[in-house]
Amino acid sequence: MSARAEAPVRSIGTDPAAFTEFYRAHVDEVTRFVARRVADPELAADLTAEVFLAVIDAAAAYRGSFGGPRTWLFGIARNVIAAEFRRSARERRAESLIAGRRLLGADDIDRLAERIDAFQQVRRLHEQLQALPDGERAVLELMSVDGLSVAEAAAALNIGQVAARVRLHRARRALRSTSAPPVVEKEVMS
């Protein structure tokens, strides 16, 4: 290909007259090329337009080798179609991942937000419990979580009932001072 023939192709991106001439000379061929590879006529029209947009972007880099402007144009068209097939395949894969799954409704989102809030409260409470001294935390857990009485918790920890009540009182006071909701409202007496 001569340097003279390459110049109009290279100017397609900057010269509207050169682009118009190139477009009119090749639009029918490109449309047929795309239509043979794509079943949807609207998609074929869109891809044809994308081919010529890509031509505008790539025109400055045109070198004229490998058969001239027509071959270059079909190479671009082939790349545009391949990109569409890849995009379409990604979309089908994404749709298949959610196919058959129910999307969240407003009520589901509200319940999910409530659960997240509840988990945040549990995490805060857990952090507060971890900050308690071991003895106080042990009495509180045995009574609040495991449902033991003061006497049973004292026996499990091998301490007296009075010591268990003192530890429970200190644990509750520490939790109240950190503005946590009360863990144990009433003391279970044996």
Side-chain angles (χ1 to χ4, degrees), residues 8 48 121 150 189:
T48 300
Q121 291 173 354
V150 173
M189 301 296 260

Side-chain angles (χ1 to χ4, degrees), residues 99-161:
R101 292 193 170 95
R102 183 176 60 90
L103 298 178
L104 295 178
D107 291 341
D108 297 326
I109 292 172
D110 290 341
R111 279 194 300 275
L112 186 58
E114 288 172 6
R115 289 179 68 188
I116 290 170
D117 289 343
F119 286 131
Q120 287 175 343
Q121 291 173 354
V122 168
R123 277 193 296 275
R124 276 195 305 270
L125 179 60
H126 182 70
E127 289 168 1
Q128 292 168 345
L129 287 173
Q130 293 303 314
L132 292 174
D134 290 340
E136 293 173 14
R137 183 177 61 247
V139 170
L140 185 64
E141 287 175 347
L142 287 171
M143 293 183 64
S144 299
V145 177
D146 299 319
L148 299 181
S149 67
V150 173
E152 292 169 329
L157 295 171
N158 200 24
I159 59 173
Q161 287 187 24

Side-chain angles (χ1 to χ4, degrees), residues 20 29 33 64 80 92 102 109 113 128 139:
T20 301
E29 287 179 309
F33 181 82
V80 167
R92 283 192 306 275
R102 183 176 60 90
I109 292 172
Q128 292 168 345
V139 170

